Amino acid sequence: SCIMAEIEAKLVQKEESLWRRGQVEIRRLQLEQQQVAASMSKLQERQSTLITENQKIRCALMEVTNKFEHVVRDMKKVLRVLPQRGVDATQILAAVAGEEGGLSPSPSVASTSASEVVGDEQPLPSEPTPGTATPGTEMWSVERSRLQATGLVLGEPP
């Protein structure tokens, strides 16, 4: 019976030792789980921020693209009218630049390239409703007035 008591005591010690080690391991795993959850939360917040930023950038890109398309349409109109009306290109530059000399009198590579492909382009889509302008397009009104003075009428800005 003395041997049984010793065996029983050793088993109790082993059981308590295993129980403590198990509790320590469980706490370690819980801590690790909390750290992973916090890291995931930060990553999800960052992803959300990046998605929002991406959407803003895409919207800005679409806006800029639409403005460029509008400028190209207007340039095509000007280039179509030039031979028909006999308007000198320097008159258009003077009207657009105004007295302040806002534009360079020499055409850019992009504008001369655009004029070379005018004949290959498709007809223009329908124009926006006149009189509807978005904020920040006040300069268009001034430029449009200058072009109208030369007999060239352009569409509204995007």
Side-chain angles (χ1 to χ4, degrees):
S1 109
C2 188
I3 296 176
M4 264 320 240
E6 278 183 42
I7 292 175
E8 192 70 31
K10 283 195 177 210
L11 284 174
V12 169
Q13 275 182 339
K14 285 277 189 189
E15 182 182 347
E16 286 176 12
S17 173
L18 285 173
W19 179 257
R20 280 190 295 261
R21 283 186 11 205
Q23 291 299 315
V24 168
E25 190 64 23
I26 287 173
R27 278 192 294 263
R28 187 187 67 77
L29 289 173
Q30 286 173 337
L31 244 173
E32 188 177 314
Q33 182 184 13
Q34 289 172 350
Q35 290 172 344
V36 168
S39 178
M40 285 297 293
S41 178
K42 286 179 184 177
L43 288 173
Q44 286 172 337
E45 287 175 23
R46 179 69 177 142
Q47 181 183 25
S48 176
T49 301
L50 289 173
I51 287 171
T52 302
E53 186 178 324
N54 188 326
Q55 289 170 342
K56 288 178 183 177
I57 290 172
R58 285 177 180 262
C59 287
L61 180 61
M62 288 299 294
E63 188 176 313
V64 168
T65 301
N66 287 336
K67 287 180 181 180
F68 277 132
E69 287 174 352
H70 188 74
V71 168
V72 167
R73 266 188 260 127
D74 286 349
M75 289 301 296
K76 287 178 184 177
K77 285 181 184 178
V78 168
L79 292 172
R80 285 187 192 124
V81 169
L82 281 177
Q84 296 171 356
R85 301 232 177 150
V87 178
D88 186 12
T90 56
Q91 291 174 333
I92 292 175
L93 285 174
V96 172
E99 315 252 329
E100 300 82 30
L103 294 180
S104 168
S106 62
S108 69
V109 174
S111 66
T112 54
S113 298
S115 64
E116 293 171 0
V117 295
V118 166
D120 300 332
E121 297 295 324
Q122 299 174 352
L124 295 174
S126 63
E127 293 297 319
T129 308
T132 58
T134 55
T137 59
E138 295 80 19
M139 283 301 295
W140 273 96
S141 301
V142 173
E143 297 302 322
R144 190 166 193 260
S145 299
R146 290 180 183 164
L147 287 174
Q148 283 176 335
T150 64
L152 298 173
V153 179
L154 302 178
E156 290 295 318

